[in-house]
Amino acid sequence: GENVEQHPSTLSVQEGDSAVIKCTYSDSASNYFPWYKQELGKRPQLIIDIRSNVGEKKDQRIAVTLNKTAKHFSLHITETQPEDSAVYFCAAMDSSYKLIFGSGTRLLVRP
Amino acid sequence: DSGVTQTPKHLITATGQRVTLRCSPRSGDLSVYWYQQSLDQGLQFLIQYYNGEERAKGNILERFSAQQFPDLHSELNLSSLELGDSALYFCASSGGDTIYFGEGSWLTVV
């Protein structure tokens, strides 16, 4: 089955700097890769996603890149703001439609 | 609001008891997923249903079971509860790839 590894587990950046979170997946048949943001005690919220036929996708300050050959994908947040502080999860949907999550990255944006 | 409704929001119960968590998916979504999130942990996939049928199974304990009814709502049944079952249980639904989460049901086993 699919296995998703995510790093770093914690990331602290200064406001205005960029943050990068990286994930790798194991199932080469996986074709959908969403990213979720979760604030403490709340539900995960989809912030961006990418499908296997696309290499990069951008939405304002957030971008995701996908390298199918290397089986890794990354989340890039530019011009970080304190409200970006949260836990971010990557995920991969495998060939049996299971959405498997990485272990999460706790992002702290220092004002 | 994601459109996915979960009840109850909070539940406290004793060890050995049985509880049922309920989920109503977004209108039109055929897929329902259940996830478990223990304190400060990641999202563990439990099970997925599609249009009433089990579609994928994760690390769901034998003490846990789920089903999806003809009206597409789903229930997760947790029995013989242990302290370690205390967690936030999320239901999610999708009509395609994009998966939307409900607010979760907080289960505390004492």
Side-chain angles (χ1 to χ4, degrees), chain A residues 7-70:
Chain A
H7 59 93
S9 57
T10 59
L11 179 59
S12 180
V13 300
Q14 193 70 37
E15 181 178 358
D17 288 350
S18 294
V20 180
I21 302 171
K22 299 182 179 183
C23 290
T24 60
Y25 61 98
S26 61
D27 186 350
S28 56
S30 291
N31 56 14
Y32 175 63
F33 306 91
W35 287 86
Y36 287 83
K37 175 183 180 182
Q38 187 180 29
E39 297 177 358
L40 190 63
K42 303 218 173 153
R43 64 182 175 92
Q45 291 191 286
L46 180 71
I47 55 172
I48 196 167
D49 57 11
I50 191 167
R51 290 169 175 78
S52 59
N53 59 347
V54 175
E56 184 174 356
K57 184 176 178 181
K58 188 173 182 180
D59 183 4
Q60 299 183 341
R61 297 185 297 110
I62 294 174
V64 57
T65 60
L66 171 64
N67 183 327
K68 286 175 57 181
T69 303

Side-chain angles (χ1 to χ4, degrees), chain B residues 9-78:
Chain B
K9 287 186 170 47
H10 300 272
L11 188 58
I12 301 174
T13 190
T15 54
Q17 295 298 304
R18 171 190 168 96
V19 299
T20 297
L21 309 180
R22 181 187 168 100
C23 170
S24 293
R26 295 187 323 150
S27 177
D29 284 358
L30 299 180
S31 282
V32 170
Y33 299 74
W34 286 98
Y35 286 86
Q36 179 193 54
Q37 187 174 40
S38 301
L39 191 63
D40 256 4
Q41 297 294 312
L43 292 150
Q44 299 300 317
F45 172 73
L46 295 178
I47 200 163
Q48 182 206 3
Y49 282 85
Y50 178 82
N51 202 21
E53 299 291 326
E54 181 183 306
R55 195 179 207 183
K57 206 166 187 176
N59 298 323
I60 187 167
L61 299 172
E62 286 192 11
R63 300 184 285 108
F64 296 0
S65 65
Q67 55 184 324
Q68 185 179 29
F69 295 86
D71 67 353
L72 301 178
H73 91 271
S74 178
E75 293 181 356
L76 178 66
N77 300 296
L78 315 174

Side-chain angles (χ1 to χ4, degrees), chain A residues 49-95:
Chain A
D49 57 11
I50 191 167
R51 290 169 175 78
S52 59
N53 59 347
V54 175
E56 184 174 356
K57 184 176 178 181
K58 188 173 182 180
D59 183 4
Q60 299 183 341
R61 297 185 297 110
I62 294 174
V64 57
T65 60
L66 171 64
N67 183 327
K68 286 175 57 181
T69 303
K71 290 189 282 187
H72 68 70
F73 55 115
S74 300
L75 177 72
H76 304 252
I77 306 174
T78 59
E79 301 172 20
T80 54
Q81 301 167 3
E83 51 266 37
D84 293 330
S85 297
V87 179
Y88 291 81
F89 290 97
C90 64
M93 182 172 284
D94 71 10
S95 51

